[in-house]
Amino acid sequence: MNIPLPAVLIALALVLAVGTWGLYEYLRGVEHRRILSARGAMDDTERVANSLLHRLDRHLRRTELGRAINRRITASGIQMKVATFLLLAASLAITAILLIGQWMAPVFGVAAAVGVVFLMLAFLRRKEERRREEFVAQLPELARVLSNATSAGLAMRTALDLASEELDEPARSELRRTADALKLGQPLEDALRDLGERLPSRELAVLVSTLVVSSRAGGSLVTSLRTIADTLDERKEINRQVKTITGEVVVTNYAVGFMGVGGLAMLNVIMPGSLRAMSENLVGQVILGAAAAAFAASVIIIRRLTRVDL
């Protein structure tokens, strides 16, 4: 099935429009937050709330899928609406179907669309993991700031507020949320546990447990925080060495996969139509499916082998 070129161009134009829309929404969100921090912007807030995209986003957030995606977007630190993310994913999936349908059987276009959706979710997961890693890297500094503040006689609520002002992102925004929750009357234990749920990690769990136990039973919090800071520094250095050692294996695995895709594209350039003929034949479909499954299995195996829990 040869898809007309105008349909492909329309799909590309649609993706470009949605991408531009998403960039516009991101920039407008940044500007909107800047305005809100400088002055009260009630009129602007009402205008945004009445926009079509905002109403769609509000409706999607009520669904189970929308809530799950919103949690992922929030955890990743990306400033994007749920509606924008889903519209962008749908546009890219349609474009994948149209483009792959030019060279291969339609079933592979559908598979490519599913792959595009998985790639976008993987992108969110990777951003979430990177943001969590950046926060974990700041934990030694956070422990020292809290230790210095408590040794100076400040309460833990004040110490967390002070740390949110001194540390960089992402610790600044996460600690600001915790400090704001404390100002609104949330108990210290609940606020710290919410922080641990937003950024789940073994290192943060140890720090949160120490603060919770200290708030309940007392004890030498300053000494504990300084010991935790030194231990976290050592763990950070070990993690850096492990990633350096395993990085070559991960890159090699992805390079082999890209070489396979590039080889198929080159074959289709040298022998036009060969890729479509292969994909429309049962034997060719089995071979292509087995190759894709082998690559996916290799990615999973490499991730499992290179993951080291310290």
Side-chain angles (χ1 to χ4, degrees), residues 12 91 272:
L12 292 177
S91 301

Side-chain angles (χ1 to χ4, degrees), residues 6 139 282:
L139 286 181
L282 179 59

